[in-house]
């Protein structure tokens, strides 16, 4: 594979070709005749023109070697089939000629006809390709004029298509885009962050807000907006709805007022700020794993975190733990220590308890007190030190009688001799247990446990000593801390933004605006329309609030079989089908170019990583502190793409085993390290850009683009100055071109939080991580099953397609072209995994596959692929290519429409029928194999293909039906 990539770059990339074909200065030898060396060889027969002007024997031999090398490269590419084609496309995409001025490619779109626009842009792009071909001709011996002519012609055709598409934009949009593209190279040389956008004479004052109107998306918000609650609210006719959602989530989109320095949400949206708290959580878990490694191995050793966990589990199964705690038991002892003033006879347990308190529990408790979510005198309930209780709902349900007896005795003793009847106490016990078992498994219910309001037992919490109910409490500190972080971070950030967690004030403002509008309506149709839009806005605001609090669309019985069966199916689907998601993520490599531009991507991201890995690692640690790039610990992106939601229910052994397997699958599939690495690079880029912009603002030299980007990230002029002041005055440094902010020493908490929220926003919109923009139906129990694995495509509608259309700049076009190139590479690799011969694909097929795999068309690709599968290729792009998209190749029509769970059921029923009918075929073997976890992991798939083939051959199984 590496040989193929190298050959592709030497043949199709101008820089690589120039380096490989560099010809040193050779001294003139008057008596030298090249024919003396090449006579009667293929060099004389096929390449005589290449030797004209050779000055001495060394130069002749140099030319001979270059010809041989180019022939080998061409043979390598030809023998690599579709992968060779994909590699060539990728090499061409990375050619420096993509940076040539593209202004002429859009000048023709100034309100002209599509045909004229296409002709103008065709000439511009064709000219750029001609420059590339001229360079390749000068550095290669075997490149023919015919090949260059074909390349230029193809580029001209592609440019015409691009120009035709651009002609559909409005005149103002095209004019702005033209100016940006024409000036990008000169501007980057002078100021890499410059972009010509409108702005006021100065940044807006703190607290000033506009109408919260979205930046133009070329009408895409109208086409796709109905799917997303965020977009619906962003385009609502009610300003109260728009100004509410801007503080909750932005889906990676920007507002018109960002151009004037007005922040979307000062300090960051609730969605992004909630994620900040994961930084401390991940740090505490890492400390825990380090401590357990030292405990297990008996030495100061941190490199064996996973080995210690695996070793302890193996020891538990074999019954030979040597008297030491398993990883699970260690975490439970930490939980008990936290309820006992962080003390424990095992030093590593006590150390871990203190780390969780310092990095998770105390920071969130203090923030909750500031936000008035907790009383400032909050203290431990039933324990010596503060830690929120998490009840073992499964055990309470299984042993309800024993738990009831404990509570009854406790309430009876607390009544202090009053005349409360036993029947009333028993009713209170039942109410308390029902409240515990009926609460959301996704969060800790409030401060602790709300009771009834009767007599002397109306206290707000279940104030019973832990020792009495120890068997019914969850003591695994990792589970408790994750639930604590999830619960408290959501409530804290909602309360800080809106004054309370219920959003009463913004909902009241929305009601007032609706009442005023309905009073001015003159017709029944107007009133009905207003009522419908108001009801939709209330529904969406409350849904986003409940999503953040993890209480949205919960079933009445979360312990019931339908809910639990759906969760099991989702986890199995993840384990058996997403083993190749890391390969599918190859276009992620070029996504930063689309959002940040080619110069910034390499200057602030990839080059520092190569130049000094140590410095880049320090920057990466800062990104993790912000709450981003934590996939190696929390696996957040992979689980969100797979539509898995942590609820940490104990459940059956099968459920616990599946939860354990899914929590580690990101490491098995290599998606966790991939996501962590890409997000660290993007986070580092963001730090550089935010701090560089903050410095420019402080010096009064900020460009319009810098002001706009800061505002979109939630930073206004005053906050930018505070951020730069903290960097300058509290240990920030610049090393090897990287800004190392050292935020742990910053004194201004608001500056730290705003800076970190900006990192999270840019990281999650660049390395697309599905969030609150997803349709509401996908958060319902049935929707999670039907829509599994569709979250990524749905999320890219806002974060990639609409956000890109808002940019309308060179970065978007360069990123689009690059992602299509890497999409072609992905298509080849995935097709090879499925046994598809890509050498037979024609140009149209390659184009469709490249665009589909790039992720650029978001939900439109999903709709096309489903339509193709359901209609057997009669509807969709397959009508052009003659073949259905390879991404849905292995799915049934039922699976394409109703998701992988129903796909599994359909194939399972078919296989069972075949077995009983004695008609077993290779397709049934494949269906059986697809039920196995890990069967699709990309680096073992080929091996399993051989096993599958051997099984069919040994048993004489006939070919697929």
């Amino acid at each position: 594979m590496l040989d193929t990539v190298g050959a592709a770059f030497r043949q199709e990339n101008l820089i690589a070709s120039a380096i490989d074909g560099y010809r040193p200065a050779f001294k003139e030898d008057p008596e030298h005749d090249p024919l003396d060396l090449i006579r009667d060889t293929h060099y004389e027969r096929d390449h005589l023109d290449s030797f004209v002007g050779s000055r001495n024997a060394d130069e002749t031999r140099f030319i001979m070697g270059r010809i041989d090398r180019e022939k080998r490269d061409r043979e390598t590419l030809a023998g690599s089939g579709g992968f060779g084609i994909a590699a060539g496309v990728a090499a061409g995409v990375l050619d420096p000629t993509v940076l040539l001025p593209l202004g002429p490619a859009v000048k023709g779109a100034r309100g002209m006809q599509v045909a004229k626009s296409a002709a103008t842009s065709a000439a511009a792009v064709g000219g750029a390709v001609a420059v590339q071909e001229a360079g390749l001709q000068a550095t290669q011996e075997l490149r023919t004029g015919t090949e260059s002519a074909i390349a230029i012609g193809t580029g001209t055709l592609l440019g015409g298509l691009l120009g035709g598409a651009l002609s559909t934009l409005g005149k103002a949009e095209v004019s702005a885009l033209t100016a940006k593209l024409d000036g990008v190279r000169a501007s980057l040389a002078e100021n890499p962050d410059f972009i010509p956008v409108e702005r006021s004479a100065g940044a807006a004052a703190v607290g000033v807000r506009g109408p919260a109107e979205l930046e133009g998306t070329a009408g895409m918000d109208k086409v796709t907006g109905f799917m997303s609650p965020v977009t619906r609210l962003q385009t609502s006719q009610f300003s109260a709805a728009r100004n509410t959602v801007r503080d909750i989530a932005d889906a990676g989109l920007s507002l018109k007022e960002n151009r004037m320095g007005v922040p979307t949400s000062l300090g960051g949206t609730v969605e992004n700020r909630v994620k900040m708290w994961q930084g401390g959580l991940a740090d505490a878990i890492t400390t825990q794993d380090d401590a357990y490694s030292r405990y297990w191995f008996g030495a100061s050793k941190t490199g064996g975190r996973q080995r210690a966990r695996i070793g302890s589990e193996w020891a538990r199964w074999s019954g030979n733990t040597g008297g030491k705690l398993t990883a699970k038991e260690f975490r439970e002892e930490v939980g008990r220590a936290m309820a006992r003033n962080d003390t424990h006879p095992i030093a590593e347990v006590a150390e871990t308890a203190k780390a969780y308190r310092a990095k998770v529990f105390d920071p969130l408790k203090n923030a909750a007190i500031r936000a008035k979510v907790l009383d400032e005198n909050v203290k431990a309930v039933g324990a010596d030190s503060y830690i929120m209780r998490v009840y073992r709902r499964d055990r309470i349900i299984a042993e309800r009688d024993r738990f009831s007896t404990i509570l009854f005795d406790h309430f009876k003793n607390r009544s202090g001799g009053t005349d409360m009847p036993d029947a009333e106490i028993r009713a209170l016990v039942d109410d308390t247990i029902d409240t515990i078992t009926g609460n959301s498994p996704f969060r800790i219910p409030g401060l602790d446990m709300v009771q009834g309001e009767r007599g002397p037992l109306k206290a707000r919490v279940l104030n019973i000593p832990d020792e009495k109910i120890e068997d019914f409490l969850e003591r695994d500190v990792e589970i408790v801390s994750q639930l604590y972080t999830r619960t408290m971070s959501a409530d804290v950030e909602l309360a800080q933004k809106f004054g309370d967690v219920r959003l009463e004030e913004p909902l009241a403002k929305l009601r007032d605006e609706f009442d005023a509008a309905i009073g001015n309506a003159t017709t029944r149709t107007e009133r009905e329309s207003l009522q419908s839009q108001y009801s939709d806005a209330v529904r969406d605001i409350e849904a986003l609030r409940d999503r953040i609090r993890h209480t949205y669309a919960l079933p009445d019985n979360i312990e019931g079989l339908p809910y639990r069966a759906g969760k099991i199916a989702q986890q199995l689907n993840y384990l058996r089908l997403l083993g190749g998601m890391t390969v599918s993520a190859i276009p992620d490599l070029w996504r930063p170019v689309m959002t940040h531009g080619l110069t910034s991507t390499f200057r602030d991201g990839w080059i520092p990583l190569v130049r000094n890995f140590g410095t880049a690692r320090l920057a990466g640690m800062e990104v993790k502190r912000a709450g981003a790039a934590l996939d190696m610990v929390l696996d957040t992106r992979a689980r969100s793409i797979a539509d898995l939601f942590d609820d940490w229910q104990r459940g059956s052994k099968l459920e616990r085993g599946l939860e354990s397997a899914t929590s580690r699958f990101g490491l098995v599939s290599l998606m966790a390290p991939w996501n962590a690495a890409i997000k660290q690079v993007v986070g580092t880029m963001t730090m550089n850009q935010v701090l560089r912009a903050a410095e420019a603002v402080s010096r009064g030299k900020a460009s319009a683009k810098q002001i706009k980007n800061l505002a979109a990230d939630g930073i206004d002029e005053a906050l930018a100055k505070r951020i730069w002041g903290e960097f300058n005055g509290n240990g920030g440094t610049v090393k090897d071109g990287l800004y190392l902010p050292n935020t742990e020493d910053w004194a201004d908490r608001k500056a730290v939080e705003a800076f970190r929220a900006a990192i999270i926003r840019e990281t999650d919109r660049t390395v697309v991580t599905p969030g609150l923009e997803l349709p509401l139906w996908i958060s319902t129990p049935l929707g999670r099953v039907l829509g599994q694995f569709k979250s990524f495509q749905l999320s890219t509608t806002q974060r990639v397609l609409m956000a890109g259309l808002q940019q309308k700049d060179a970065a978007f076009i360069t990123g689009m072209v690059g992602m299509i190139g890497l999409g072609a590479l992905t298509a080849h690799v995935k097709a090879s995994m499925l046994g598809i011969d890509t050498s037979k694909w024609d140009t149209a097929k390659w184009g469709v596959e490249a665009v589909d795999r790039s992720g650029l068309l978001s939900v439109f690709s999903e709709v096309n692929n489903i339509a193709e599968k359901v209609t057997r290729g009669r509807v969709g792009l397959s009508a052009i290519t003659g073949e259905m998209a390879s991404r849905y190749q292995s799915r049934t029509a039922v699976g394409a429409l109703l998701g992988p769970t129903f796909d599994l059921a359909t194939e399972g029923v078919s296989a069972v029928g075949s077995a009983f009918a004695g008609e077993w075929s290779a397709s049934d073997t494949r269906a059986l194999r697809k039920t196995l976890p890990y069967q699709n992991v990309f680096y073992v798939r080929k091996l399993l293909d051989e096993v599958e083939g051997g099984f069919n051959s040994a048993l004489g199984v006939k070919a697929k039906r």
Side-chain angles (χ1 to χ4, degrees):
M1 183 177 291
L2 291 177
D3 290 340
T4 302
V5 173
F9 271 79
R10 287 189 292 271
Q11 289 295 304
E12 303 298 337
N13 185 278
L14 185 56
I15 294 296
S17 179
I19 293 173
D20 182 64
Y22 171 72
R23 183 180 299 196
F26 292 96
K27 292 183 179 181
E28 184 76 30
D29 180 359
E31 298 181 0
H32 173 65
D33 183 353
L35 284 174
D36 293 340
L37 294 175
I38 66 173
R39 186 174 284 110
D40 298 329
T41 67
H42 69 92
Y43 301 112
E44 179 187 19
R45 182 181 66 251
D46 301 328
H47 311 290
L48 184 60
D49 289 346
S50 295
F51 295 91
V52 174
S54 176
R55 285 163 288 190
N56 60 30
D58 289 340
E59 185 169 10
T60 297
R61 292 189 181 93
F62 174 86
I63 296 170
M64 293 164 65
R66 193 158 74 169
I67 290 172
D68 292 342
R69 187 163 57 254
E70 290 180 24
K71 288 186 68 174
R72 286 195 300 271
D73 284 347
R74 288 175 173 238
E75 290 168 357
T76 297
L77 292 173
S80 299
F83 180 67
I85 298 173
V89 171
V93 165
L94 294 172
D95 193 280
T97 54
V98 300
L99 294 177
L100 287 173
L102 292 176
V106 293
K107 284 180 179 176
R110 296 176 188 261
M112 297 180 181
Q113 304 95 330
V114 172
K116 186 172 182 180
S117 171
T120 305
S121 60
V125 177
V129 177
V131 172
Q132 179 189 32
E133 285 299 319
L136 294 175
Q137 284 281 347
T139 56
Q140 295 179 16
E141 302 294 341
L142 303 187
R143 200 168 195 87
T144 65
T146 301
E147 289 173 330
S148 292
I150 292 173
I152 295 170
T154 303
T156 302
L157 177 60
L158 179 61
L161 294 174
L162 176 64
L166 287 170
S167 69
T168 63
L169 299 178
K171 184 174 181 180
E173 294 169 327
V174 171
S175 297
L177 178 57
T178 301
K180 295 172 190 175
L181 296 179
D182 280 344
V184 68
R185 287 179 68 193
S187 300
L188 283 173
E190 181 178 347
N191 181 353
D193 293 301
F194 172 77
I195 188 169
V197 292
E198 298 174 4
R199 58 168 293 201
S200 62
V206 176
V208 174
R209 295 185 122 178
E213 294 178 357
L214 274 182
E215 186 73 82
T217 63
M220 193 56 63
D221 56 313
K222 296 179 175 61
V223 176
T224 64
F226 71 94
M227 296 186 296
S228 169
V230 173
T231 307
R232 286 197 297 268
L233 289 169
Q234 288 172 325
T235 55
S236 171
Q237 82 166 65
F238 297 109
S239 62
R242 298 194 302 272
N243 274 308
T244 299
V245 74
R246 72 189 292 170
D247 284 324
I248 298 175
D250 63 17
L253 300 175
S254 58
L255 303 179
K256 290 181 179 178
E257 60 209 64
N258 294 154
R259 293 171 173 265
M260 298 176 287
V262 178
T264 298
S265 180
L266 190 64
T269 63
V270 170
E271 180 180 24
N272 292 326
R273 290 178 63 87
V274 163
K275 294 176 182 178
M276 287 191 308
W277 295 100
Q278 294 180 345
L281 173 64
D283 195 8
I285 293 174
T286 301
T287 300
Q288 162 197 283
D289 289 347
D290 288 343
Y292 183 68
S293 177
R294 295 196 306 273
Y295 165 78
W296 182 258
F297 291 114
S300 179
K301 187 172 185 178
T302 59
R305 295 172 186 164
Q306 291 299 323
R307 196 154 62 90
R309 286 198 181 202
I310 295 171
S312 72
E313 284 301 304
W314 174 256
R316 182 175 66 84
W317 279 100
S318 64
N320 183 27
T321 62
K324 290 193 173 184
L325 301 172
T326 65
K328 176 72 172 175
E329 292 168 341
F330 183 89
R331 297 195 301 271
E332 290 175 340
E333 287 302 306
V334 173
R336 292 187 180 94
M338 292 196 71
R340 295 166 175 82
N341 291 319
D342 304 333
T343 59
H344 198 277
I346 299 176
E348 291 84 0
V349 170
E351 171 194 340
T352 305
K354 291 181 175 68
Y356 270 105
R357 187 167 306 284
K359 298 175 181 180
V360 178
F361 285 87
D362 280 354
L364 265 170
K365 182 185 74 172
N366 294 334
I369 292 171
R370 288 195 299 269
K372 302 189 185 310
V373 173
L374 291 180
D375 185 81
E376 62 182 78
N377 296 316
V378 64
K379 55 184 178 181
V381 175
D384 294 332
S385 51
Y386 174 81
I387 179 173
M388 276 192 169
R389 282 178 179 166
V390 176
Y391 294 90
R392 289 278 307 273
R393 292 163 53 251
D394 61 320
R395 183 163 289 178
I396 291 173
I397 292 170
E399 301 181 47
R400 182 171 182 132
D401 289 344
R402 184 161 75 95
F403 191 61
S404 296
T405 300
I406 294 172
L407 293 188
F408 180 87
D409 291 343
H410 171 69
F411 291 157
K412 185 82 171 176
N413 293 333
R414 280 196 62 199
S415 64
T418 62
D419 295 330
M420 178 177 283
D422 287 357
E424 192 168 343
I425 295 177
R426 287 194 180 93
L428 183 56
V429 168
D430 287 339
D431 286 347
T432 302
I433 294 176
D434 290 343
T435 303
I436 293 174
T437 57
N439 266 287
S440 166
F442 299 96
R443 55 182 277 122
I444 295 173
L447 174 61
D448 189 41
M449 182 48 55
V450 179
Q451 293 189 34
E453 298 182 355
R454 308 179 206 199
L457 301 180
K458 62 183 180 181
R460 186 174 187 272
V461 296
L462 180 56
N463 195 1
I464 182 172
D466 284 359
E467 290 79 3
K468 291 186 177 182
I469 56 173
E470 187 73 37
D471 291 345
F472 299 95
L473 295 178
E474 178 60 73
R475 286 307 193 190
D476 187 325
V477 70
E478 196 169 316
I479 293 176
V480 174
S481 63
Q482 293 200 46
L483 278 169
Y484 176 81
T485 301
R486 167 174 284 186
T487 302
M488 297 304 295
S489 63
D491 289 1
V492 163
E493 297 304 338
L494 283 170
Q496 284 185 340
K497 282 289 183 183
F498 300 104
D500 70 280
V501 300
R502 304 297 304 168
L503 275 63
E504 292 178 359
E505 183 179 343
L507 287 171
K509 288 182 178 179
L510 176 60
R511 179 73 196 189
D512 291 344
E513 187 178 354
F514 165 71
D515 288 341
I518 206 80
N520 293 327
T522 57
T523 67
R524 177 178 178 179
T525 301
E526 271 188 277
R527 287 190 290 272
E528 289 178 346
S529 176
L530 284 168
Q531 180 64 59
S532 175
Q533 291 182 63
Y534 169 72
S535 298
D536 289 348
V538 171
R539 177 203 62 207
D540 288 340
I541 290 172
E542 291 180 341
L544 293 180
R545 174 201 66 197
D546 293 345
R547 268 183 168 178
I548 290 173
R549 302 187 78 221
H550 305 283
T551 58
Y552 179 73
L554 286 178
D556 293 333
N557 182 11
I558 55 180
E559 296 291 344
L561 180 60
Y563 178 79
R564 294 170 68 180
K567 180 186 173 186
I568 289 172
Q570 286 179 278
Q571 291 174 321
L572 278 173
N573 293 336
Y574 177 46
L575 294 173
R576 66 188 185 86
L577 296 177
L578 289 197
M581 60 182 168
T582 307
V583 176
S584 299
I586 289 175
D588 284 351
L589 292 169
W590 203 254
R591 172 74 179 140
V593 174
M594 178 179 284
T595 56
H596 295 277
L598 191 64
T599 300
S600 293
T601 298
F602 282 88
R603 179 194 61 196
D604 297 328
W606 297 114
I607 291 177
L609 181 65
V610 174
R611 180 185 297 162
N612 192 326
F613 181 76
T615 303
R617 188 168 179 271
L618 291 175
M621 291 172 63
E622 190 69 54
V623 173
K624 292 179 182 179
R625 290 191 195 103
L630 301 174
D631 297 81
M632 288 295 289
V633 180
L634 303 178
D635 204 18
T636 46
R637 188 189 184 214
R639 293 182 71 91
S640 63
I641 290 174
D643 300 293
L644 297 179
F645 301 86
D646 302 312
D647 59 14
W648 296 289
Q649 295 183 89
R650 288 268 182 163
S652 64
K653 287 185 178 181
L654 172 62
E655 290 171 293
R656 295 197 299 271
L658 284 174
E659 181 58 38
S660 177
T662 54
S663 68
R664 293 172 173 79
F665 190 65
L667 293 173
V668 174
S669 66
L670 303 185
M671 192 63 172
W674 172 277
N675 289 333
I678 299 293
K679 285 192 172 186
Q680 282 188 55
V681 171
V682 174
T684 300
M685 291 164 50
T686 301
M687 286 197 308
N688 269 25
Q689 291 168 7
V690 169
L691 289 168
R692 192 179 289 117
E695 178 183 14
V697 168
S698 298
R699 296 179 177 178
K701 297 182 178 181
S703 67
K705 181 182 179 182
Q706 288 176 317
I707 290 174
K708 176 188 175 184
N709 288 347
L710 285 174
D713 287 335
I715 300 171
D716 64 0
E717 179 181 5
L719 200 46
K721 291 179 177 178
R722 289 166 66 177
I723 288 172
W724 182 247
E726 288 295 320
F727 177 86
N728 246 349
N730 287 300
T733 59
V734 180
K735 184 178 181 182
D736 297 323
L738 291 181
Y739 286 71
L740 303 176
N742 191 33
T743 55
E744 287 189 310
D745 289 342
W746 288 14
D748 188 336
R749 179 174 51 80
K750 294 290 186 184
V752 173
E753 292 174 354
F755 180 67
R756 290 178 172 175
I759 293 173
I760 291 171
R761 178 182 184 270
E762 292 297 328
T763 300
D764 282 356
R765 83 182 185 96
T766 301
V767 187
V768 177
T769 303
L772 294 177
E773 69 277 359
L774 294 175
L776 295 180
W777 63 265
I778 210 168
S779 293
T780 64
L782 180 60
R784 291 176 184 175
V785 174
L786 297 178
Q788 190 174 18
F789 303 155
K790 300 187 188 304
S791 289
F792 179 78
Q793 293 287 10
L794 292 168
S795 184
T796 57
T797 304
Q798 281 79 25
R799 295 180 182 266
V800 176
L801 185 58
M802 289 175 62
L805 291 171
Q806 285 187 329
Q807 286 180 232
K808 302 184 185 72
D809 61 7
F812 173 61
I813 294 176
T814 306
M816 179 178 66
V817 174
M819 290 180 70
I820 291 174
L822 292 180
L825 176 61
T826 304
H828 168 75
V829 176
K830 297 288 284 189
S832 298
M833 292 168 59
L834 294 170
I836 299 172
D837 184 5
T838 58
S839 65
K840 297 178 181 179
W841 288 359
D842 59 18
T843 303
K845 175 65 173 175
W846 269 112
V848 169
E849 290 289 340
V851 173
D852 183 45
R853 292 289 184 178
S854 72
L856 287 172
L857 292 187
S858 59
V859 71
F860 297 106
S861 283
E862 196 72 15
V863 171
N864 174 74
N865 292 344
I866 292 173
E868 287 183 351
K869 200 69 181 182
V870 172
T871 64
R872 299 185 181 181
R874 292 175 176 81
V875 175
L877 294 175
S878 55
I880 300 174
T881 64
E883 294 183 58
M884 289 186 283
S886 63
R887 187 157 60 88
Y888 270 40
Q889 186 83 14
S890 61
R891 304 186 197 184
T892 65
V894 172
L897 192 61
L898 300 179
T901 298
F902 286 90
D903 192 25
L904 176 63
T906 301
E907 291 188 321
V909 170
S910 177
V912 170
S914 297
F916 277 98
E919 299 175 352
W920 191 271
S921 70
S923 60
D924 297 310
T925 305
R926 174 55 59 91
L928 179 63
R929 176 253 181 96
K930 285 172 62 179
T931 65
L932 302 176
Y934 307 104
Q935 63 88 24
N936 200 34
V937 174
F938 69 95
Y939 52 84
V940 299
R941 183 185 174 102
K942 285 291 185 183
L943 175 62
L944 292 178
D945 288 344
E946 294 296 326
V947 172
E948 180 184 340
F951 174 86
N952 289 335
S953 177
L955 298 183
V957 175
K958 59 185 179 181
K960 297 180 181 180
R961 293 193 301 269

